């Protein structure tokens, strides 16, 4: 496995070798063998907090390696590392709280008809989790990212399939996590990394892997999802595959602040060279004078935006080919052409099309597919019916955004409420008067959505991401001495729980 500089396309250094089937088997078996060590919540808390500290201590080296392999820039990567350590600390706090165990106790009650037995329910870890790292977030959605952090928080050992775009960064990060494990008194094999395409296939098929988390393309994610379902013992596969992230701009919003919306759109679609999973890839804008002003502001902002490299040459070629195919469609125009830049860079742009073309289907359905990179499609609508027709044609998304005029927002306008309802069906996060790029790490966050945005209803960001790696179990009429500590009447661990219908904290 070679580390490659995306700014030049040249190899930097050989970092690792591709894992064989035997290597994958050894990594999974080693992880499975140490899963009992993660049963202690105190040790898990120590691991997560130590991991944040070890990553922070290696910040300079990690950011330098990530920038050399992704060209995302030190400012962006320093911010991403801060987000990554915050995630680890947030999950440590969740483990300390214990609410994620969802403890419910219903004592036996002979007065009921029929009599109720003694029932005690909580959640336990699934086992070894396979994590497939993302290309566009080498820290927050990669080796030390949210999937790994939430799985460890749940008590599951992790084997990460590193992304080939940043192998050196992956090795630095896994070394930090394994140092953290040693500090917490845990075996290093609670987390490990394997490299190579074949290793990823072997990993999802391994009989000791109990669940998988993936962030990447629809094609790659669907292949792994199908493999997970085709196993003799199918496993949960939590995949984030692709998202168009539609934006609807009402006529009133455009009339009030066309220039502001156009500039904001430019900033959002070019963030990270257009390689965010939440990039706005389709914008419904009015086909009137206010809409014209919005596009003029968008064009002006894009022309002032410096070109930049994509994560690798394969993605660059796919982006350029995707733009060419879209421009060739009838009635599609490119006011600012997304194209090749100097050396390995690309130039941001946008396309326009009458909304009626999208609603009609046919070859223009290509415009309703994600094009990874700095480009968006602006569909010009004539009325609310055309907006509804386009939205009805969309697949599932991570986000959907609605830009309203002040009056529409203040009065809870009926038309605005209907648009919000239509967008709610499409996405896992709905924004009003904002931009979808940037996903806050917070307990109420949901980063997921209907297929193909994700393959499950779960989130990969926020406190409830831990639920993906747990399963509920109920003990019935079990002698007190045999009950797990989490389910005993005296509550020795001080967990929040519900007892006989009443909340106890």
């Amino acid at each position: 496995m070679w580390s490659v500089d995306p700014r030049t396309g040249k190899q930097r250094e050989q970092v690792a070798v591709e894992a064989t089937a035997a290597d994958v088997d050894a990594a999974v078996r080693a992880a499975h063998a140490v899963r009992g060590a993660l049963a202690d919540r105190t040790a898990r808390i120590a691991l997560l907090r130590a991991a944040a500290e070890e990553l922070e201590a290696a910040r300079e080296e990690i950011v330098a390696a990530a920038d050399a392999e992704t060209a995302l820039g030190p400012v962006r990567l320093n911010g991403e590392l801060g987000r990554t350590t915050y995630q680890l600390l947030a999950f440590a706090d969740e483990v300390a709280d214990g609410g994620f165990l969802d403890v419910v106790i219903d004592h036996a009650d002979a007065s009921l008809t029929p009599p109720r037995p003694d029932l005690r329910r909580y959640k336990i870890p699934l086992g070894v989790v396979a994590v497939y790292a993302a290309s566009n977030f080498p820290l927050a959605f990669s080796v030390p990212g949210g999937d790994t952090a939430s799985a460890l928080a749940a008590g599951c050992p992790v084997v990460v399939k590193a992304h080939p775009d940043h192998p050196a960064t992956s090795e630095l990060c896994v070394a930090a996590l394994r140092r953290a494990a040693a500090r917490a008194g845990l075996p290093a094999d609670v987390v490990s990394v394997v490299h190579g395409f074949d290793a990823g296939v072997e990993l999802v098929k391994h009989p000791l892997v109990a669940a998988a988390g993936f962030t990447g393309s629809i094609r790659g994610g669907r292949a792994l999802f199908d493999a997970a379902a085709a196993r003799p013992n199918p496993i949960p596969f939590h995949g984030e595959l692709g998202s168009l992230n539609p934006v609807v701009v009402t006529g009133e919003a455009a009339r009030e602040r066309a220039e502001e919306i156009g500039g904001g759109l430019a900033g959002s679609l070019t963030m990270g060279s257009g390689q965010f999973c939440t990039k706005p890839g389709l914008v419904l804008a009015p086909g009137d004078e206010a809409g014209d002003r919005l596009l003029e502001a968008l064009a002006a902002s894009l022309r002032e935006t410096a070109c930049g490299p994509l994560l690798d040459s394969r993605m660059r070629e796919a982006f350029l080919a995707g733009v060419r195919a879209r421009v060739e469609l009838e009635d599609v125009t490119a006011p600012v052409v997304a194209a090749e830049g100097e050396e390995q860079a690309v130039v941001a742009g946008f396309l326009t099309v009458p909304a009626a073309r999208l609603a009609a289907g046919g070859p223009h359905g290509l415009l309703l597919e994600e094009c990874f990179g700095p480009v968006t499609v602006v569909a010009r609508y004539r009325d609310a019916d055309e907006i509804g027709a386009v939205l009805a044609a969309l697949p599932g998304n991570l986000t959907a955004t609605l830009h309203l005029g002040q009056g529409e927002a203040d009065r809870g306008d009926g038309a605005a409420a209907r648009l919000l309802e239509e967008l709610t069906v499409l996405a896992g996060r709905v924004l009003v008067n904002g931009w979808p790029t940037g996903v806050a790490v917070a307990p109420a966050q949901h980063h997921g959505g209907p297929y193909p945005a994700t393959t499950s209803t779960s989130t990969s960001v926020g406190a409830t991401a831990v639920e993906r790696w747990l399963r509920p179990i109920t003990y019935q009429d079990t002698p007190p001495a045999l009950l797990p500590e989490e389910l005993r009447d005296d509550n020795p661990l001080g967990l929040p729980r519900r007892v006989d219908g009443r909340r106890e904290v």
Side-chain angles (χ1 to χ4, degrees):
M1 300 299 299
W2 283 85
S3 173
V4 176
D5 183 346
R7 294 180 174 96
T8 64
K10 296 180 179 179
Q11 293 179 335
R12 296 176 59 249
E13 59 176 329
Q14 187 173 359
V15 176
V17 296
E18 294 194 16
T20 64
D23 294 330
V24 173
D25 179 64
V28 174
R29 290 187 181 279
H32 182 75
V34 302
R35 67 194 188 285
L38 287 172
D40 182 354
R41 284 195 306 133
T42 301
R44 300 208 303 270
I45 294 167
L47 167 61
L48 293 164
R49 290 177 176 163
E53 292 171 1
E54 290 291 339
L55 289 167
E56 188 61 48
R59 173 180 287 272
E60 185 175 349
E61 186 179 13
I62 289 172
V63 168
D67 180 48
E69 291 186 310
T70 67
L72 291 174
V75 173
R76 149 73 192 275
L77 291 166
N78 271 295
E80 188 181 334
L81 183 55
R83 169 202 171 97
T84 303
T85 58
Y86 179 81
Q87 282 185 138
L88 288 160
L89 294 173
F91 280 117
D93 291 342
E94 286 298 313
V95 178
D97 174 78
F100 72 99
L101 295 171
D102 197 19
V103 177
V104 181
I105 297 174
D106 290 319
H107 290 103
D109 191 340
S111 68
L112 298 177
T113 304
R116 183 178 71 201
D118 185 272
L119 299 169
R120 297 163 187 252
R121 179 185 188 273
Y122 80 135
K123 293 179 179 177
I124 61 174
L126 289 174
V128 178
V129 169
V131 169
Y132 292 81
S135 62
N136 56 340
F137 281 86
L139 304 172
F141 284 86
S142 191
V143 172
D147 284 352
T148 297
S150 59
L152 292 173
C156 296
V158 175
V159 179
V160 183
K161 188 274 180 185
H163 198 280
D165 279 355
H166 48 261
T169 307
S170 298
E171 286 296 319
L172 289 172
C173 288
V174 77
L177 297 185
R178 289 169 73 90
R179 289 195 301 270
R183 284 179 50 188
L186 292 167
D189 287 329
V190 296
V191 58
S192 58
V193 160
V194 294
H195 295 267
F197 176 84
D198 291 341
V201 176
E202 290 295 328
L203 190 56
V204 79
K205 294 180 178 178
H206 198 287
L208 295 181
V209 168
F214 171 91
T215 302
S217 68
I218 293 178
R219 181 180 178 184
R222 184 55 194 256
L224 291 171
F225 177 51
D226 291 346
R231 292 168 39 133
N233 58 327
I235 59 172
F237 184 89
H238 301 286
E240 179 190 322
L241 310 189
S243 185
L244 198 60
N245 305 304
V247 176
V248 177
V249 181
T250 68
E252 190 168 325
R255 287 189 291 274
E256 288 180 4
R257 56 183 201 283
E259 290 75 18
E260 176 187 333
I261 293 172
L265 174 58
S268 186
L269 79 90
T270 58
M271 189 175 292
S273 293
Q275 298 172 112
F276 275 38
C277 53
T278 52
K279 180 201 77 175
L282 174 69
V283 181
L284 284 153
D288 57 13
E289 183 272 337
D292 292 342
R293 289 193 291 113
L294 189 158
L295 296 193
E296 289 167 4
L298 170 62
S301 294
L302 289 180
R303 291 188 181 106
E304 295 175 359
T305 301
C307 59
L310 298 187
L311 292 163
D312 62 38
S313 58
R314 177 182 57 82
M315 292 182 189
R316 182 175 183 270
E317 291 307 313
F319 169 72
L320 295 172
V323 170
R324 287 194 296 269
R326 287 161 172 79
V327 170
E328 290 171 0
L329 294 170
E330 189 175 358
D331 288 336
V332 171
T333 63
V336 178
V337 180
E340 296 183 70
E342 297 179 359
E343 296 183 347
Q344 296 296 306
V346 296
V347 176
F350 72 98
L351 311 174
T352 67
V353 65
R357 277 290 188 184
L358 297 183
H364 288 77
L366 178 63
L367 299 172
L368 303 182
E369 298 177 11
E370 180 183 14
C371 186
F372 192 72
V375 69
T376 195
V377 175
V378 180
R380 307 293 301 275
Y381 65 83
R382 292 173 294 188
D383 53 36
D385 288 342
E386 286 193 349
I387 297 176
V390 173
L391 295 181
L394 295 184
N397 293 271
L398 294 170
T399 74
T401 301
L402 179 59
H403 280 271
L404 299 172
Q406 189 61 53
E408 293 171 308
D410 289 345
R411 64 181 177 262
D413 183 84
R418 286 192 295 275
L419 280 171
L420 199 65
E421 183 178 350
E422 291 179 84
L423 294 175
T424 297
V425 175
L426 292 174
R429 178 166 58 106
V430 179
L431 303 87
V432 177
N433 292 347
W435 296 106
T437 37
V439 183
V441 180
Q445 185 58 272
H446 187 85
H447 189 63
Y451 185 86
T454 50
T455 59
S456 69
T457 59
S458 301
T459 179
S460 60
V461 179
T464 53
V466 71
E467 295 174 0
R468 297 174 295 169
W469 322 119
L470 299 164
R471 71 175 179 88
I473 185 167
T474 293
Y475 291 89
Q476 180 171 327
D477 293 332
T478 304
L482 296 179
L483 284 170
E485 286 188 305
E486 291 87 348
L487 299 179
R488 293 180 182 175
D489 280 335
D490 60 349
N491 196 10
L493 302 179
L495 297 172
R497 56 190 191 168
R498 191 178 73 191
V499 179
D500 296 331
R502 296 185 301 274
R503 291 284 180 185
E504 295 184 356
V505 180

